[in-house]
Structure formats: C-alpha cells, structure tokens
Amino acid sequence: MRPIEALLEIARDEGVTRIFGNPGTTELPLMDALAEAPGLHYVLGLQEASVVAMADGHARASRRTSLVSLHVAAGVANGLIGMLNALRSRTPMVVVAGQQDRRHLVQDPMLSGDLVGLASAAVKRAVEVQHARDLPIVLRRAFALAARPPAGPVLVSVPMDLLAEDAGVAVPARSPVTGPGPADAGEAAALLANADRPVVIAGDGVGRAGAVAELVAVAERLGAAVHHQPMNDGIDFPTGHPLYAGMLAPRNAAVREVLAGHDAALIAGCHAFMPHHYTPGPAVPDGLAVVQVDEDPAEIGRNFAVRHGLTGDLAGTLRALAEHLDGRIPAARERAERLGAAHARARKATEAAARAAYGPAPLDPRAAAHAVAAGLPDGAVVVEEAITAGLLLRAVLRQDLPGSYVHTVGGGLGWGIGAAIGTRMADPDRPVVAVLGDGCAMFGVQGLWSAARYEVPVAFVVMNNGEYRTLKDTLDEGGGPSARHGRYVGMDLGPPAIDWRSAAGAFGIGAVRAGSADELRDAVAGVKDLAAPLLIEAPITGHAADRRAARGAGR
C-alpha cells in the first residue's frame, strides 16, 4: 500500500468521514487521492483558522477525533489559533501538515519551515515523519494520543514527496484501548455525607465524558448547589435544574467568595478553575474539604490541596459515588428544596429585568440575550463566542440536553463561525445558533463562505455594538485615564461601521437586521426551518450608553 493510501485507510478506520482543509502544493498528493476515495469528504475553508474551528465543532458534536489538513509553515501558523483553542478545550484532533519536498529542504526552499517547532506550544505533541514506512504507525499514535485524556490536537508533519512515494507500507490494525475503571469512592462519599454545606463544581470534563446524569444523581443525593466551572465550554449540569446556581466568575477572589460559604466541595472534571483577570490569593479557601474527580491524574491537587483525589472513568466514578450516598443524608431533600426556591427567585428576577429592557434597536444587551434564549427551538445547540453578551446569555439560558451549548475557553477569537458549521455538519438533526460578538466574528468571517458552499443551515447572530466592549469595561474597573475621560484608544469598530448584511452577501449568505427584541426572538425561532445559512444582525447598545445610564442613575 502506498503512503497516501495508508493515510486514507487509517483515517477511515479511525472513524473520519470529513477532512477539513485548505490545500496547497504540498497537499497535491492528498487532493489527487481524494478524487477516488469513497467515504471521505473534503471540507474546504478559505483560511486555516476557520478550517481548524470547523474541525473543533465537528469533533465535539460527533464525539470522534477530527482530521485537519494544513499547508506548510504558513498554514500551520494560521491554524495555530484554532489548535490553541482545541488544546485548551481538550478537543481531540489530528492535524496533518504538508512539509516541503525533502530533496531540497537543505536549500531552505520557499514555504518550508520548522513545523514541529512552530506548532509545539499549541498541541499535545508534534512530530515530522521522515520515512514512508513510519507514516502508518505515527498516524495511529497520533489518533490514540489525541483522544487520550486530556484530549487535544496532535500535529503530524508529512513531506509531500513522502506521500507520493511508490514504496509499499504496512498499515497496523487499530488497537482499541479501554481506560481505567471507576475509582473507589467510599471514603470520598463519607466525607461529603458528613458535610453540612456541600457544594458541587461541574467541570467540562463531565460533559466530555458524557457523565452529566451521574453528576446530577450525586448532587441530588447531597442536596448541594451546583456551579459550572468558570467560562464552561459545554453543558456539564442541566442549567434548568433547581440545584443549578450558575457559573463561577473567572477570578480567584470570586470563586473563593462562593466556596467560603461551604464546608466541603466536590470538584468534578474541572481544569484548575483557570482565572482570567488576576486577583490575589487562591481560588480555594483554607480549610475547605475537597473531593476532586478527574480522568487526568495530573489534575488532582494541581492548584489546591484535596482530601480525596479520584482518577478513572468519570461516569463510573460519579455513579459509584451516587450509590454510596443513596439514602445516606436525611437533610438532602430539605436542602434541595431550600436551594431550589432561592435559585427560582434569582432566575425570576433576572428574567424580569431582561424582559423589562425589551424595545426597539439598538437593543439593550440583556434584552438581546434573553430574546435569543427565548427563541431557541427545542433541541437547539448554541455555539457562543460573544465576550460580554455571552455572559448575559449564560444567565438566561435554560439548557438541559448535553451538547446544547458550545464555547471555547481557549480565547482565540474567530472560532465561533467555523465551530458552528462543524457542529451542524456532525449533527444535522439539531438546529444550531451561533451567537457572536461583532469583534469575534470579524476574526473568522471567512468561515461564512464555507457555510454557503456546503449549504449548512446555521443562524449566525452577530451582537453588534461596534466596539471591543470587554476592554472598555475592564479599563473602567481600573479607574485610569481612559475611564476618567471616556476616551478608549483602539477599541472602536467604527467609523466606518461594519455593514454586516453586505458582508454576509459577499460570501453568498442571506441576512436580516433585527429591529426589536421581539424580531430577534422570532428570527432565532426560525432556525428550525432554515435550509441555508442566515446571518442575523442584532444591533445592541454599547459602553457609552451604559455610562450615560449610570450617570443618570447617580452612580
């Protein structure tokens, strides 16, 4: 079997159905072979960041490792932002990057570069294949490593002449691997059962492991409030559940303030809280008894001391924990009822404030977020990349179905458009609504072309405030010259203002502008009937409007 044939055979055997890429000369052997490769579909993107984002969304929705093809050093450089997102969000992905022809690499030819060195900081591992006979085993290793906890991208650099060789290579069979079983949860259950004020932190490892139902069972037996980890990437606990208490803010001081009210904590599948803005001190207060459960042994005690650290199959371990707790805590029901009533009051107040803000465009951001949430059809998936509006959206979303919310904690902007396309491709039966900040969308706008080319029926909702709002808000907290004088350098996206309907039309996508919160809600509701992609512009008020409102209120 020729090397290129081995690559395609391994891809099929690993469950790959789509190869996401943007080709160049080093990919010509691959592109030529794909002309007669049944079962493998090439998904073209106009820029590598969009390509990797599509593969990210596809891997999460399909729960299979995705395959990406990038072109030489420049393509890898463009794709780095997507690989960094995938690494931080722990998305399994194999990236095959075409290297220049080995026969003249010594001459430093155009397009060549150190692909392994370039990618190493953004992937789990990077390797360059030097011999055709090694390609199959390196690819098998790459797929295995990409899926092994903690999952993430693996890059394989393949010189173009190697793929075109006529040498025969052997393809090793796939080796199914069974992970470790559930950990012994008896002692951890005893600690939690004896707590008077337990709390549960649902990390993204819970959603990735398909262990949401098991965590719900643990929380209900404890009668404990449940918080999502800061900036959670998915649904790790049903947000409509009475015990759900919202997301922890991404600052150590904020996390510590919440945890200080408890005497024991179960932290499940959570990557060390990952703060955003610095605040002094640790996230976990001294004296808190912590039970930490994770599939990755390196997470246990990584940033804080634990009383019991459990590693192994996450769903099985949580199931065992729930069994040990069953009927053991007489006060659990009373706790749950008290917490449920308090959470219901808080949600009602949030809903009332958002509804009171409904009106014509430009929309109050709270009203815009609520309108999106209110319009979502049953079973819809929200792919969210909206920095400030996204926080408001999280407060009003009530999603119980796993996979209903997709975000990246990686921070590389431009991910949302591509991720939404990949999500819908992988799961065509669920409507997909991408909620995007205008600044975020501009980083990945080329992805709209792929949505149009492949007729992917996604609703792209652009929350347009014409600025980098989060930067202005952060400067305001510091009280420096920008905040005092109301002048913010390099943070406005106008003039000229971005014409989103024209931008969508340039890529072959229809667009509408929401003139009110009600119109936005109705436009989002229509995603269930889409046969093609649609961009929905939601003009929202910005930072200056809030400053005026604050002055008017005497704050």
Side-chain angles (χ1 to χ4, degrees), residues 209-254:
V212 174
E214 288 78 7
L215 186 61
V216 169
V218 171
E220 290 177 345
R221 284 159 174 76
L222 284 172
V226 182
H227 294 269
H228 263 127
Q229 71 167 66
M231 306 309 297
N232 53 294
D233 275 354
I235 299 297
D236 308 305
F237 194 86
T239 59
H241 194 285
L243 291 174
Y244 183 63
M247 183 193 79
L248 293 172
R251 299 182 302 278
N252 278 1

mmCIF file of all heavy atoms in Angstrom, residues 209-254:
data_model
loop_
_atom_site.group_PDB
_atom_site.id
_atom_site.type_symbol
_atom_site.label_atom_id
_atom_site.label_comp_id
_atom_site.label_asym_id
_atom_site.label_seq_id
_atom_site.Cartn_x
_atom_site.Cartn_y
_atom_site.Cartn_z
ATOM 1 N N ALA A 209 -17.132 13.563 29.081
ATOM 2 C CA ALA A 209 -17.214 12.144 29.418
ATOM 3 C C ALA A 209 -18.638 11.603 29.335
ATOM 4 O O ALA A 209 -18.850 10.413 29.575
ATOM 5 C CB ALA A 209 -16.662 11.924 30.831
ATOM 6 N N GLY A 210 -19.613 12.457 29.019
ATOM 7 C CA GLY A 210 -20.997 12.003 28.988
ATOM 8 C C GLY A 210 -21.496 11.593 30.357
ATOM 9 O O GLY A 210 -22.284 10.647 30.497
ATOM 10 N N ALA A 211 -21.057 12.325 31.391
ATOM 11 C CA ALA A 211 -21.344 11.940 32.779
ATOM 12 C C ALA A 211 -22.284 12.922 33.469
ATOM 13 O O ALA A 211 -22.314 12.987 34.701
ATOM 14 C CB ALA A 211 -20.026 11.837 33.563
ATOM 15 N N VAL A 212 -23.079 13.674 32.696
ATOM 16 C CA VAL A 212 -23.971 14.674 33.296
ATOM 17 C C VAL A 212 -25.004 14.015 34.194
ATOM 18 O O VAL A 212 -25.253 14.469 35.327
ATOM 19 C CB VAL A 212 -24.645 15.518 32.198
ATOM 20 C CG1 VAL A 212 -25.687 16.448 32.810
ATOM 21 C CG2 VAL A 212 -23.605 16.329 31.425
ATOM 22 N N ALA A 213 -25.647 12.952 33.732
ATOM 23 C CA ALA A 213 -26.683 12.281 34.532
ATOM 24 C C ALA A 213 -26.111 11.768 35.846
ATOM 25 O O ALA A 213 -26.773 11.846 36.898
ATOM 26 C CB ALA A 213 -27.304 11.138 33.738
ATOM 27 N N GLU A 214 -24.902 11.269 35.818
ATOM 28 C CA GLU A 214 -24.276 10.749 37.040
ATOM 29 C C GLU A 214 -23.989 11.875 38.028
ATOM 30 O O GLU A 214 -24.157 11.705 39.238
ATOM 31 C CB GLU A 214 -22.988 10.004 36.687
ATOM 32 C CG GLU A 214 -23.193 8.664 36.014
ATOM 33 C CD GLU A 214 -23.551 8.754 34.532
ATOM 34 O OE1 GLU A 214 -23.518 9.890 33.978
ATOM 35 O OE2 GLU A 214 -23.851 7.724 33.919
ATOM 36 N N LEU A 215 -23.567 13.047 37.518
ATOM 37 C CA LEU A 215 -23.313 14.167 38.420
ATOM 38 C C LEU A 215 -24.620 14.690 39.008
ATOM 39 O O LEU A 215 -24.668 15.084 40.184
ATOM 40 C CB LEU A 215 -22.570 15.285 37.700
ATOM 41 C CG LEU A 215 -22.113 16.445 38.584
ATOM 42 C CD1 LEU A 215 -21.133 15.953 39.653
ATOM 43 C CD2 LEU A 215 -21.474 17.557 37.762
ATOM 44 N N VAL A 216 -25.680 14.688 38.224
ATOM 45 C CA VAL A 216 -26.995 15.088 38.736
ATOM 46 C C VAL A 216 -27.400 14.184 39.902
ATOM 47 O O VAL A 216 -27.886 14.655 40.938
ATOM 48 C CB VAL A 216 -28.059 15.040 37.624
ATOM 49 C CG1 VAL A 216 -29.465 15.180 38.209
ATOM 50 C CG2 VAL A 216 -27.806 16.150 36.602
ATOM 51 N N ALA A 217 -27.183 12.881 39.757
ATOM 52 C CA ALA A 217 -27.538 11.943 40.823
ATOM 53 C C ALA A 217 -26.757 12.229 42.101
ATOM 54 O O ALA A 217 -27.317 12.185 43.207
ATOM 55 C CB ALA A 217 -27.280 10.510 40.359
ATOM 56 N N VAL A 218 -25.476 12.554 41.964
ATOM 57 C CA VAL A 218 -24.663 12.882 43.144
ATOM 58 C C VAL A 218 -25.199 14.149 43.811
ATOM 59 O O VAL A 218 -25.383 14.201 45.041
ATOM 60 C CB VAL A 218 -23.182 13.072 42.750
ATOM 61 C CG1 VAL A 218 -22.378 13.618 43.934
ATOM 62 C CG2 VAL A 218 -22.581 11.754 42.279
ATOM 63 N N ALA A 219 -25.446 15.196 43.023
ATOM 64 C CA ALA A 219 -25.908 16.472 43.580
ATOM 65 C C ALA A 219 -27.248 16.312 44.287
ATOM 66 O O ALA A 219 -27.470 16.890 45.361
ATOM 67 C CB ALA A 219 -26.013 17.515 42.463
ATOM 68 N N GLU A 220 -28.148 15.533 43.708
ATOM 69 C CA GLU A 220 -29.465 15.346 44.324
ATOM 70 C C GLU A 220 -29.365 14.560 45.625
ATOM 71 O O GLU A 220 -30.091 14.854 46.590
ATOM 72 C CB GLU A 220 -30.395 14.640 43.335
ATOM 73 C CG GLU A 220 -30.789 15.533 42.173
ATOM 74 C CD GLU A 220 -31.653 14.835 41.138
ATOM 75 O OE1 GLU A 220 -31.720 13.568 41.178
ATOM 76 O OE2 GLU A 220 -32.251 15.518 40.296
ATOM 77 N N ARG A 221 -28.482 13.594 45.689
ATOM 78 C CA ARG A 221 -28.324 12.838 46.929
ATOM 79 C C ARG A 221 -27.661 13.670 48.019
ATOM 80 O O ARG A 221 -27.892 13.447 49.213
ATOM 81 C CB ARG A 221 -27.536 11.557 46.664
ATOM 82 C CG ARG A 221 -28.374 10.472 45.981
ATOM 83 C CD ARG A 221 -27.505 9.432 45.282
ATOM 84 N NE ARG A 221 -28.309 8.330 44.757
ATOM 85 C CZ ARG A 221 -29.057 8.401 43.663
ATOM 86 N NH1 ARG A 221 -29.149 9.540 42.996
ATOM 87 N NH2 ARG A 221 -29.729 7.348 43.240
ATOM 88 N N LEU A 222 -26.849 14.647 47.601
ATOM 89 C CA LEU A 222 -26.227 15.557 48.567
ATOM 90 C C LEU A 222 -27.152 16.711 48.946
ATOM 91 O O LEU A 222 -27.012 17.292 50.031
ATOM 92 C CB LEU A 222 -24.945 16.160 47.975
ATOM 93 C CG LEU A 222 -23.694 15.288 47.910
ATOM 94 C CD1 LEU A 222 -22.604 16.001 47.119
ATOM 95 C CD2 LEU A 222 -23.196 14.959 49.311
ATOM 96 N N GLY A 223 -28.061 17.072 48.047
ATOM 97 C CA GLY A 223 -28.835 18.296 48.247
ATOM 98 C C GLY A 223 -27.929 19.509 48.183
ATOM 99 O O GLY A 223 -28.043 20.443 48.989
ATOM 100 N N ALA A 224 -27.015 19.512 47.183
ATOM 101 C CA ALA A 224 -25.973 20.542 47.110
ATOM 102 C C ALA A 224 -26.197 21.466 45.923
ATOM 103 O O ALA A 224 -26.655 21.040 44.854
ATOM 104 C CB ALA A 224 -24.595 19.886 46.987
ATOM 105 N N ALA A 225 -25.849 22.733 46.111
ATOM 106 C CA ALA A 225 -25.832 23.678 44.993
ATOM 107 C C ALA A 225 -24.736 23.269 44.017
ATOM 108 O O ALA A 225 -23.681 22.763 44.409
ATOM 109 C CB ALA A 225 -25.575 25.089 45.503
ATOM 110 N N VAL A 226 -24.989 23.497 42.724
ATOM 111 C CA VAL A 226 -24.036 23.134 41.681
ATOM 112 C C VAL A 226 -23.689 24.368 40.852
ATOM 113 O O VAL A 226 -24.584 25.072 40.363
ATOM 114 C CB VAL A 226 -24.608 22.037 40.760
ATOM 115 C CG1 VAL A 226 -23.571 21.645 39.705
ATOM 116 C CG2 VAL A 226 -25.035 20.820 41.573
ATOM 117 N N HIS A 227 -22.400 24.623 40.709
ATOM 118 C CA HIS A 227 -21.911 25.709 39.863
ATOM 119 C C HIS A 227 -21.148 25.128 38.686
ATOM 120 O O HIS A 227 -20.410 24.140 38.844
ATOM 121 C CB HIS A 227 -20.958 26.628 40.638
ATOM 122 C CG HIS A 227 -21.609 27.388 41.739
ATOM 123 N ND1 HIS A 227 -22.158 28.639 41.559
ATOM 124 C CD2 HIS A 227 -21.788 27.071 43.052
ATOM 125 C CE1 HIS A 227 -22.654 29.063 42.714
ATOM 126 N NE2 HIS A 227 -22.446 28.134 43.636
ATOM 127 N N HIS A 228 -21.305 25.736 37.519
ATOM 128 C CA HIS A 228 -20.405 25.424 36.422
ATOM 129 C C HIS A 228 -19.036 26.046 36.698
ATOM 130 O O HIS A 228 -18.927 27.079 37.359
ATOM 131 C CB HIS A 228 -20.938 25.981 35.103
ATOM 132 C CG HIS A 228 -21.682 24.973 34.279
ATOM 133 N ND1 HIS A 228 -22.946 25.203 33.797
ATOM 134 C CD2 HIS A 228 -21.338 23.730 33.840
ATOM 135 C CE1 HIS A 228 -23.346 24.152 33.095
ATOM 136 N NE2 HIS A 228 -22.387 23.249 33.118
ATOM 137 N N GLN A 229 -17.990 25.404 36.186
ATOM 138 C CA GLN A 229 -16.660 25.990 36.268
ATOM 139 C C GLN A 229 -16.654 27.333 35.538
ATOM 140 O O GLN A 229 -17.523 27.606 34.708
ATOM 141 C CB GLN A 229 -15.636 25.053 35.630
ATOM 142 C CG GLN A 229 -15.744 24.966 34.114
ATOM 143 C CD GLN A 229 -14.540 24.287 33.474
ATOM 144 O OE1 GLN A 229 -14.309 23.110 33.678
ATOM 145 N NE2 GLN A 229 -13.777 25.046 32.713
ATOM 146 N N PRO A 230 -15.688 28.188 35.807
ATOM 147 C CA PRO A 230 -15.620 29.467 35.089
ATOM 148 C C PRO A 230 -15.551 29.271 33.577
ATOM 149 O O PRO A 230 -14.767 28.455 33.081
ATOM 150 C CB PRO A 230 -14.328 30.097 35.621
ATOM 151 C CG PRO A 230 -14.153 29.502 36.989
ATOM 152 C CD PRO A 230 -14.643 28.093 36.852
ATOM 153 N N MET A 231 -16.392 29.998 32.856
ATOM 154 C CA MET A 231 -16.426 30.001 31.392
ATOM 155 C C MET A 231 -16.518 28.588 30.822
ATOM 156 O O MET A 231 -15.780 28.211 29.912
ATOM 157 C CB MET A 231 -15.198 30.733 30.832
ATOM 158 C CG MET A 231 -15.010 32.135 31.368
ATOM 159 S SD MET A 231 -16.500 33.194 31.259
ATOM 160 C CE MET A 231 -16.745 33.282 29.505
ATOM 161 N N ASN A 232 -17.450 27.813 31.368
ATOM 162 C CA ASN A 232 -17.594 26.426 30.924
ATOM 163 C C ASN A 232 -17.821 26.343 29.422
ATOM 164 O O ASN A 232 -18.498 27.172 28.814
ATOM 165 C CB ASN A 232 -18.762 25.750 31.656
ATOM 166 C CG ASN A 232 -20.060 26.524 31.554
ATOM 167 O OD1 ASN A 232 -20.164 27.621 32.093
ATOM 168 N ND2 ASN A 232 -21.049 25.945 30.890
ATOM 169 N N ASP A 233 -17.265 25.292 28.820
ATOM 170 C CA ASP A 233 -17.332 25.095 27.371
ATOM 171 C C ASP A 233 -18.559 24.308 26.935
ATOM 172 O O ASP A 233 -18.789 24.168 25.728
ATOM 173 C CB ASP A 233 -16.083 24.349 26.890
ATOM 174 C CG ASP A 233 -14.907 25.277 26.621
ATOM 175 O OD1 ASP A 233 -15.094 26.500 26.694
ATOM 176 O OD2 ASP A 233 -13.811 24.768 26.330
ATOM 177 N N GLY A 234 -19.306 23.741 27.868
ATOM 178 C CA GLY A 234 -20.450 22.933 27.483
ATOM 179 C C GLY A 234 -21.443 22.799 28.619
ATOM 180 O O GLY A 234 -21.335 23.466 29.650
ATOM 181 N N ILE A 235 -22.425 21.908 28.422
ATOM 182 C CA ILE A 235 -23.417 21.621 29.457
ATOM 183 C C ILE A 235 -22.885 20.479 30.305
ATOM 184 O O ILE A 235 -22.854 19.322 29.878
ATOM 185 C CB ILE A 235 -24.775 21.242 28.833
ATOM 186 C CG1 ILE A 235 -25.314 22.393 27.997
ATOM 187 C CG2 ILE A 235 -25.777 20.861 29.917
ATOM 188 C CD1 ILE A 235 -25.622 23.647 28.765
ATOM 189 N N ASP A 236 -22.456 20.809 31.507
ATOM 190 C CA ASP A 236 -21.917 19.818 32.436
ATOM 191 C C ASP A 236 -22.891 19.535 33.573
ATOM 192 O O ASP A 236 -22.665 18.626 34.378
ATOM 193 C CB ASP A 236 -20.578 20.312 33.006
ATOM 194 C CG ASP A 236 -19.629 20.721 31.888
ATOM 195 O OD1 ASP A 236 -19.390 19.892 31.002
ATOM 196 O OD2 ASP A 236 -19.157 21.871 31.885
ATOM 197 N N PHE A 237 -23.949 20.334 33.633
ATOM 198 C CA PHE A 237 -25.051 20.147 34.576
ATOM 199 C C PHE A 237 -26.242 20.881 33.976
ATOM 200 O O PHE A 237 -26.066 21.979 33.421
ATOM 201 C CB PHE A 237 -24.706 20.732 35.954
ATOM 202 C CG PHE A 237 -25.633 20.280 37.053
ATOM 203 C CD1 PHE A 237 -25.406 19.090 37.729
ATOM 204 C CD2 PHE A 237 -26.747 21.035 37.403
ATOM 205 C CE1 PHE A 237 -26.261 18.657 38.730
ATOM 206 C CE2 PHE A 237 -27.610 20.625 38.402
ATOM 207 C CZ PHE A 237 -27.367 19.427 39.071
ATOM 208 N N PRO A 238 -27.455 20.320 34.035
ATOM 209 C CA PRO A 238 -28.606 20.989 33.411
ATOM 210 C C PRO A 238 -28.845 22.369 34.020
ATOM 211 O O PRO A 238 -29.026 22.500 35.237
ATOM 212 C CB PRO A 238 -29.773 20.039 33.714
ATOM 213 C CG PRO A 238 -29.139 18.719 34.017
ATOM 214 C CD PRO A 238 -27.832 19.032 34.659
ATOM 215 N N THR A 239 -28.866 23.394 33.179
ATOM 216 C CA THR A 239 -28.981 24.753 33.717
ATOM 217 C C THR A 239 -30.410 25.091 34.133
ATOM 218 O O THR A 239 -30.632 26.138 34.744
ATOM 219 C CB THR A 239 -28.484 25.782 32.693
ATOM 220 O OG1 THR A 239 -29.253 25.682 31.493
ATOM 221 C CG2 THR A 239 -27.025 25.538 32.360
ATOM 222 N N GLY A 240 -31.368 24.226 33.828
ATOM 223 C CA GLY A 240 -32.722 24.411 34.320
ATOM 224 C C GLY A 240 -33.017 23.639 35.595
ATOM 225 O O GLY A 240 -34.123 23.734 36.137
ATOM 226 N N HIS A 241 -32.057 22.914 36.113
ATOM 227 C CA HIS A 241 -32.249 22.103 37.317
ATOM 228 C C HIS A 241 -32.366 23.013 38.549
ATOM 229 O O HIS A 241 -31.648 24.011 38.651
ATOM 230 C CB HIS A 241 -31.071 21.135 37.481
ATOM 231 C CG HIS A 241 -31.301 20.042 38.464
ATOM 232 N ND1 HIS A 241 -31.276 20.250 39.821
ATOM 233 C CD2 HIS A 241 -31.564 18.718 38.289
ATOM 234 C CE1 HIS A 241 -31.502 19.099 40.442
ATOM 235 N NE2 HIS A 241 -31.686 18.151 39.534
ATOM 236 N N PRO A 242 -33.240 22.670 39.501
ATOM 237 C CA PRO A 242 -33.391 23.523 40.693
ATOM 238 C C PRO A 242 -32.102 23.735 41.477
ATOM 239 O O PRO A 242 -31.942 24.756 42.151
ATOM 240 C CB PRO A 242 -34.427 22.774 41.535
ATOM 241 C CG PRO A 242 -35.204 21.966 40.558
ATOM 242 C CD PRO A 242 -34.233 21.569 39.490
ATOM 243 N N LEU A 243 -31.174 22.772 41.426
ATOM 244 C CA LEU A 243 -29.932 22.909 42.187
ATOM 245 C C LEU A 243 -28.873 23.743 41.474
ATOM 246 O O LEU A 243 -27.840 24.075 42.070
ATOM 247 C CB LEU A 243 -29.351 21.521 42.500
ATOM 248 C CG LEU A 243 -30.134 20.674 43.499
ATOM 249 C CD1 LEU A 243 -29.527 19.279 43.612
ATOM 250 C CD2 LEU A 243 -30.185 21.349 44.870
ATOM 251 N N TYR A 244 -29.128 24.093 40.212
ATOM 252 C CA TYR A 244 -28.121 24.831 39.462
ATOM 253 C C TYR A 244 -28.021 26.266 39.964
ATOM 254 O O TYR A 244 -29.013 26.996 40.008
ATOM 255 C CB TYR A 244 -28.428 24.824 37.975
ATOM 256 C CG TYR A 244 -27.370 25.515 37.148
ATOM 257 C CD1 TYR A 244 -26.073 25.026 37.109
ATOM 258 C CD2 TYR A 244 -27.655 26.679 36.429
ATOM 259 C CE1 TYR A 244 -25.089 25.662 36.370
ATOM 260 C CE2 TYR A 244 -26.688 27.319 35.678
ATOM 261 C CZ TYR A 244 -25.405 26.808 35.670
ATOM 262 O OH TYR A 244 -24.419 27.443 34.942
ATOM 263 N N ALA A 245 -26.807 26.682 40.322
ATOM 264 C CA ALA A 245 -26.591 28.000 40.925
ATOM 265 C C ALA A 245 -25.809 28.947 40.029
ATOM 266 O O ALA A 245 -25.408 30.025 40.477
ATOM 267 C CB ALA A 245 -25.854 27.834 42.256
ATOM 268 N N GLY A 246 -25.569 28.569 38.775
ATOM 269 C CA GLY A 246 -24.887 29.461 37.851
ATOM 270 C C GLY A 246 -23.403 29.168 37.725
ATOM 271 O O GLY A 246 -22.839 28.315 38.409
ATOM 272 N N MET A 247 -22.764 29.928 36.848
ATOM 273 C CA MET A 247 -21.344 29.770 36.575
ATOM 274 C C MET A 247 -20.502 30.572 37.561
ATOM 275 O O MET A 247 -20.863 31.688 37.938
ATOM 276 C CB MET A 247 -21.053 30.256 35.149
ATOM 277 C CG MET A 247 -19.620 30.098 34.684
ATOM 278 S SD MET A 247 -19.290 31.035 33.163
ATOM 279 C CE MET A 247 -19.093 32.712 33.827
ATOM 280 N N LEU A 248 -19.382 30.001 37.953
ATOM 281 C CA LEU A 248 -18.417 30.754 38.754
ATOM 282 C C LEU A 248 -17.720 31.787 37.885
ATOM 283 O O LEU A 248 -17.383 31.515 36.731
ATOM 284 C CB LEU A 248 -17.378 29.807 39.358
ATOM 285 C CG LEU A 248 -17.874 28.810 40.402
ATOM 286 C CD1 LEU A 248 -16.764 27.823 40.750
ATOM 287 C CD2 LEU A 248 -18.376 29.513 41.660
ATOM 288 N N ALA A 249 -17.502 32.968 38.415
ATOM 289 C CA ALA A 249 -16.782 34.005 37.673
ATOM 290 C C ALA A 249 -15.305 33.635 37.574
ATOM 291 O O ALA A 249 -14.741 33.028 38.496
ATOM 292 C CB ALA A 249 -16.942 35.349 38.364
ATOM 293 N N PRO A 250 -14.629 34.004 36.465
ATOM 294 C CA PRO A 250 -13.244 33.589 36.258
ATOM 295 C C PRO A 250 -12.210 34.456 36.980
ATOM 296 O O PRO A 250 -11.301 35.019 36.369
ATOM 297 C CB PRO A 250 -13.097 33.685 34.733
ATOM 298 C CG PRO A 250 -14.020 34.791 34.354
ATOM 299 C CD PRO A 250 -15.186 34.697 35.290
ATOM 300 N N ARG A 251 -12.370 34.588 38.284
ATOM 301 C CA ARG A 251 -11.401 35.302 39.126
ATOM 302 C C ARG A 251 -11.266 34.533 40.428
ATOM 303 O O ARG A 251 -12.272 34.117 41.033
ATOM 304 C CB ARG A 251 -11.865 36.735 39.412
ATOM 305 C CG ARG A 251 -12.039 37.603 38.195
ATOM 306 C CD ARG A 251 -12.450 39.025 38.564
ATOM 307 N NE ARG A 251 -13.699 39.053 39.334
ATOM 308 C CZ ARG A 251 -14.909 38.994 38.795
ATOM 309 N NH1 ARG A 251 -15.042 38.880 37.486
ATOM 310 N NH2 ARG A 251 -15.986 39.033 39.547
ATOM 311 N N ASN A 252 -10.061 34.366 40.907
ATOM 312 C CA ASN A 252 -9.848 33.598 42.137
ATOM 313 C C ASN A 252 -10.654 34.161 43.301
ATOM 314 O O ASN A 252 -11.238 33.412 44.089
ATOM 315 C CB ASN A 252 -8.358 33.591 42.500
ATOM 316 C CG ASN A 252 -7.580 32.550 41.720
ATOM 317 O OD1 ASN A 252 -8.131 31.839 40.885
ATOM 318 N ND2 ASN A 252 -6.285 32.471 41.974
ATOM 319 N N ALA A 253 -10.697 35.482 43.424
ATOM 320 C CA ALA A 253 -11.412 36.083 44.548
ATOM 321 C C ALA A 253 -12.901 35.744 44.490
ATOM 322 O O ALA A 253 -13.535 35.491 45.524
ATOM 323 C CB ALA A 253 -11.209 37.600 44.558
ATOM 324 N N ALA A 254 -13.479 35.751 43.284
ATOM 325 C CA ALA A 254 -14.897 35.454 43.137
ATOM 326 C C ALA A 254 -15.185 33.991 43.457
ATOM 327 O O ALA A 254 -16.188 33.668 44.112
ATOM 328 C CB ALA A 254 -15.353 35.786 41.720
#
